[in-house]
Amino acid sequence: QTAVMPDFSSYIKEVSFLGCGDNIIYTGTMRDAKSLAPKGGRKYNFAPLYENIKDIISGADIAFINQETPMADNVEYGSYPHFNSPRDLADDMIEAGFDIVNIATNHMLDAGSEGLKSTIEFWKTKPVTMIGGYENEEDFDTIRIYEKDEIKIALLSFTYSTNGLKLRSGYDIIIPYIDETVIREKVNAAKKVADLVFVSMHWGDENTQAPNAEQKRLAKLIADCGADAVIVEGASLQ
């Protein structure tokens, strides 16, 4: 007698995921965006940056971007070595099709503690899921979940450094520095509330595309904890 295999095709769900970064805004980029300023009160137009890839970004079910630079409205705009970008950039990123924005980077304190606070508050007003910067411990403990076609993806984020800059006392903000104990705790918590767990890691050595031994070790640790994907950004992107 021939066995008849059941058809599981109706139970299979698929979504496409696109990752992009690092989105870092230099002086020349701001100058060009200002010269292309649209009408309606805006001062900068960054849309041309994404024009040639907009179809790819918007064509993905889920589009993630690593936003390298702060967007504080209470600090002067700046470029290397301390970045702070115009907020008009956010609207152009969203229009291009990005759904998830990560801000845990080595530049996240470039605009100072108040600038980071302002950036976090700003992104929370936008129609995206922002990860990597948290108002306080309670906010940090609230696992970010992005749901698409009934698939729940938990999103975690960590950075290797803030370039020696420290959060000033008196701020409750949580910067998710890479910490093995915290990674284990967060991945375990995320697995309980989502179908998939994606971990964004901002790390690596400058001026190389080769992952170092520490990156490989941490990637294995994250995988062993049960995460489904590691989103790699930073100096080493391979």
Side-chain angles (χ1 to χ4, degrees), residues 1-236:
Q1 184 176 1
T2 304
V4 177
M5 297 298 294
D7 181 7
F8 293 108
S9 60
S10 61
Y11 296 94
I12 297 174
K13 297 177 182 177
E14 296 182 357
V15 295
S16 59
F17 183 93
L18 175 145
C20 180
D22 297 342
N23 201 49
I24 188 164
I25 306 302
Y26 282 87
T27 300
T29 318
M30 282 190 280
R31 182 187 61 241
D32 291 346
K34 193 169 186 178
S35 70
L36 296 168
K39 297 178 180 179
R42 288 181 52 185
K43 295 181 179 180
Y44 296 86
N45 178 13
F46 293 94
L49 289 178
Y50 312 107
E51 186 174 316
N52 291 334
I53 57 171
K54 185 175 180 180
D55 288 345
I56 300 173
I57 297 166
S58 60
D61 293 318
I62 307 170
F64 166 104
I65 187 167
N66 179 63
Q67 177 50 42
E68 188 81 13
T69 57
M71 292 184 194
D73 65 350
N74 50 357
V75 179
E76 185 178 355
Y77 299 145
S79 182
Y80 183 85
H82 295 129
F83 293 87
N84 186 42
S85 304
R87 288 184 168 181
D88 287 347
L89 172 64
D91 292 325
D92 291 324
M93 290 165 57
I94 294 167
E95 184 181 349
F98 288 110
D99 308 294
I100 302 167
V101 176
N102 173 64
I103 66 167
T105 77
N106 54 308
H107 289 289
M108 65 190 299
L109 273 175
D110 280 9
S113 302
E114 190 61 28
L116 176 56
K117 180 175 182 289
S118 174
T119 299
I120 292 171
E121 291 172 348
F122 168 69
W123 276 117
K124 285 194 169 187
T125 69
K126 293 298 179 179
V128 295
T129 299
M130 184 272 291
I131 62 173
Y134 307 93
E135 292 178 322
N136 48 44
E137 285 283 356
E138 181 180 1
D139 192 28
F140 186 40
D141 289 338
T142 303
I143 303 294
R144 302 300 192 264
I145 296 177
Y146 191 90
E147 185 170 355
K148 183 71 175 181
D149 295 341
E150 299 182 344
I151 299 174
K152 293 181 178 180
I153 302 175
L155 300 160
L156 305 176
S157 177
F158 301 93
T159 180
Y160 74 101
S161 146
T162 48
N163 291 345
L165 300 174
K166 302 296 183 183
L167 191 68
R168 282 168 37 199
S169 61
Y171 287 84
D172 295 328
I173 294 170
I174 300 298
I175 295 174
Y177 293 109
I178 293 173
D179 180 287
E180 289 185 29
T181 300
V182 176
I183 289 173
R184 288 191 180 95
E185 290 175 351
K186 295 298 181 184
V187 172
N188 287 333
K191 289 192 297 182
K192 296 176 182 178
V193 295
D195 302 305
L196 300 170
V197 179
F198 288 6
V199 183
S200 169
M201 297 291 285
H202 198 78
W203 55 6
D205 297 323
E206 294 284 353
N207 303 316
T208 178
Q209 293 296 307
N212 60 39
E214 179 65 2
Q215 285 176 281
K216 293 178 181 179
R217 187 187 70 82
L218 284 170
K220 185 177 186 306
L221 180 148
I222 293 167
D224 289 345
C225 287
D228 298 282
V230 177
I231 305 169
V232 178
E233 331 116 12
S236 174

